[in-house]
Amino acid sequence: MVTANDLATVPAEIWGGSVEAWDGSVEAANDEAFRRLNDADPWVVDVRPAREVLPGYRDNLVLTSGAPMPWEAYVGGQREALIGGALFEGLAADRDEAIARFADGSIEIGACHDYNAVGSLAGIYTASMPVFVVENRTHGNVGFCNFYEGKEPRRLNYGCYDEGVHERLEHVNTVLAPVVGEAIRRRGGIALKPMIARALRMGDEVHSRNAAASILFNREILPSVLDMIEDSVPGVRETMLHLAENDYFFLRLSMAAAKASADAMVVPGSTLVSAMAFSCRGFAIKLAGLGNTWFEGPPPIHQGKLFAGHSEDEITWMGGESPITETVGLGGFAQACALSLQDYQGGSPEVMIERNREMYEITHGENSSYRIPLFGFRGTPTGVDARKVLDTAVLPVMDVGLAGRDGGQIGAGVIRAPRECFAAALDEHAKRYGQS
């Protein structure tokens, strides 16, 4: 018979959730899931078009954030982003044709997580878009994330598609990604965990603040860049200038690292959360002990700070999978590392510190690599336990950008996951395992 330890080595996408492989102890299962998460060793090893590296990718496929939904369920900015992705990839000649082809299924929609990937906001992937390839060298699985489009508020992942968005996406495809990919390959891959750990000590939480991590990454690829200049590789200067002025560049690397880390958590019987994401419809989570099943709830609870000229009634939900960072003990779970975020997303240092401390009440352990200087280098709270969320009524907190109903980013803030998805997950856990 397959044992719990044997099954724990199987990637989430092929695990069936067999009850027979469980030894009956939720605590032992959670210990193992936490150990696997804590021991993860993510390395970025390459940059390739999605069609070349995402498992089962097809040229007529557009990926988006959140639990899978039919085309008709997508509304607002997430729907607009899907249409924009189809137009960018040349899957339709115009908006009306794209809508018709989504409706008849000739353009397919997929969920990023089903392809070992994560997407920021609407999370759009098309076949030609370059992705970071991140290997978890401890457990052998791979995670992916696409590229940051740049600091212009109107971006495809924020539900916008126009000539400027198209040009920036083409620039990523033809200039930025080839140079960054070549630099990574020349380095033989780059370890991301120590870089993230150092960035936390320098004022990042690697979700809403990535300034230090982006600088550290630029420094890491500098030897390759200098060699590439000598070899007359095209686009190097342009790429490095882009990286130098975009503090959010590293977010996509932290997301891919978190995805590769969290996917290794699969352990029968565990009540630890292995993914958190949302769509235009609502928020959803996965449990490490329940395989690929999503458990949905209403949209998240939010509070934040809006850019000048915008109001609360403009805020809309169009997806987001960057909370994979909080899933592994970063982002809102390391908020006390990044007190300067108060200027960006509101709040106060006191509130941020208390909010971060609160997360220890709902997590299984403390990360041995990611540490918070303000707390005496205590490890970040890591491994959200769905049972503790319900027992304490403390909801996981996440740092996010806020999207507007007309597209684009209009602010930033914090969200909390809704209670309902944790309750639904534990109900299913009780049915499958007989306890929770």
Side-chain angles (χ1 to χ4, degrees), residues 190-200 206 213 216-217 220 250:
I190 297 170
L192 295 176
K193 195 169 190 176
M195 196 176 299
I196 291 170
R198 186 172 186 185
L200 295 181
V206 295
L216 292 172
F217 178 78
E220 186 66 29
F250 191 85

Side-chain angles (χ1 to χ4, degrees), residues 65 71 306:
S65 293
W71 162 246
L306 299 178

Side-chain angles (χ1 to χ4, degrees), residues 342-362:
Q342 63 186 294
D343 186 52
Y344 176 58
Q345 65 186 28
S348 68
E350 294 78 15
V351 168
M352 294 174 73
I353 291 167
E354 179 56 31
R355 190 186 286 141
N356 200 154
R357 290 192 189 279
E358 197 177 35
M359 295 301 98
Y360 288 103
E361 298 179 34
I362 60 171

Side-chain angles (χ1 to χ4, degrees), residues 356-377:
N356 200 154
R357 290 192 189 279
E358 197 177 35
M359 295 301 98
Y360 288 103
E361 298 179 34
I362 60 171
T363 46
H364 185 78
E366 298 180 15
N367 200 292
S368 63
S369 298
Y370 304 145
R371 297 180 180 275
I372 302 175
L374 191 63
F375 295 166
F377 289 91

